[in-house]
Amino acid sequence: MSAELVPGNLGDSFSKYFEIVPALDEAVRHEAFFVRHEVYCKDLHFEDERANREETDDYDEHSLHCVLRTRGDNARPVGCTRMILAKPDDPGAPLPFEKYCATTLDRSVIDPAALPRSAIAEVSRLAVVSDFRRRKDEQDKPVSISDDDFRAGGATPRFPFIPVSLYLACVVISLREGIEHLFVLTEPRLAMHFSRIGFDIRQIGGPVEHRGKRVPSYLRPAVIRRDLKPMMRPLYEVVEASIARAYAAAGR
C-alpha cells in the first residue's frame, strides 16, 4: 500500500489513515520492535533475524518509543522511532551519535557533552515497513524522503506523512519529557527537505559512514513547535492530541 496523499488539511488527511501513539506500555513497545525487525532485519539485513521477530538493543531500556499505526479493520503498526536518553546509572556515557561522530562533530556549533544530560536525546531507529516506503527504487532504506515530497505541483503530489509525523511525535514527547535538545544522524539532504516545512534541523558536523552517508544534526523541539509553517500546524495538533490522550490514559 502506498501512502501518497495530496496535501490539504494535513491533520484531517493524516487522521483518516493513521494514528500515532507513544509506547507507554510493553504492548506498544513490542509493536515498535516488530516494525524494526521487519525493516532492519528482514528487509534490509542490517541486523540478524530473530526468532521472536523483534529487533532490540541495549539502548532500548533507556529510550522513549512511539509507533505509527494504520486505521480501519486491518489496523497494524507501520512505522516507529525512538529517542535514546542518557543512561540513568551513567549519564556521561555517550549516545550513539557521539561515538560515531566523535571526530567530525563541530563543537563550536554545539557541544553535546556540555549540555545537561537529562535534557538531551538522540532520535534513532526511525523505520517504515516496506509497503509504505513509496518508491520501488528506494526500498533499500528504512524510510525514504525525496525532493518531490515537498515540491508543490510535482508530477505526483504527495506528502511524507509517515516520517514527518514520527519526527513531530518526537517533538511533542520531548516537550512533555523535558528534552530540550535532539540529535540525529540523517541523510545529508534531510535538513533541506525539512526546512521547507518549518523544521530547524542544523548540521553540526561532517559526514560519517553509517549504513550510508550520514551527518550529525541538531533539533530544538521548542523552536520547531514555535516556527512550524501554518500548513503543518493541523498535523502537529493531531499528533499532539493523540499523544496527550495516551499519556492521560496511562495516568501520566
Side-chain angles (χ1 to χ4, degrees), residues 14 17-36 64-71 75-83 124-129 161-163 165-170 173 239 242-243 246:
F14 177 84
Y17 294 98
F18 301 112
E19 67 169 348
I20 196 160
V21 292
L24 302 179
D25 59 40
E26 286 303 307
V28 183
R29 284 167 60 92
H30 287 307
E31 288 185 282
F33 300 154
F34 171 78
V35 170
R36 283 163 46 177
L64 303 170
H65 304 263
C66 67
V67 169
L68 185 82
R69 302 184 187 124
T70 57
R71 292 188 182 274
R76 63 187 177 106
V78 296
C80 68
T81 193
R82 71 178 176 187
M83 291 182 291
S124 170
R125 287 297 198 268
L126 196 151
V128 179
V129 297
F161 282 101
I162 292 176
S165 67
L166 287 166
Y167 271 100
L168 288 176
C170 289
I173 294 170
V239 171
S242 180
I243 289 170

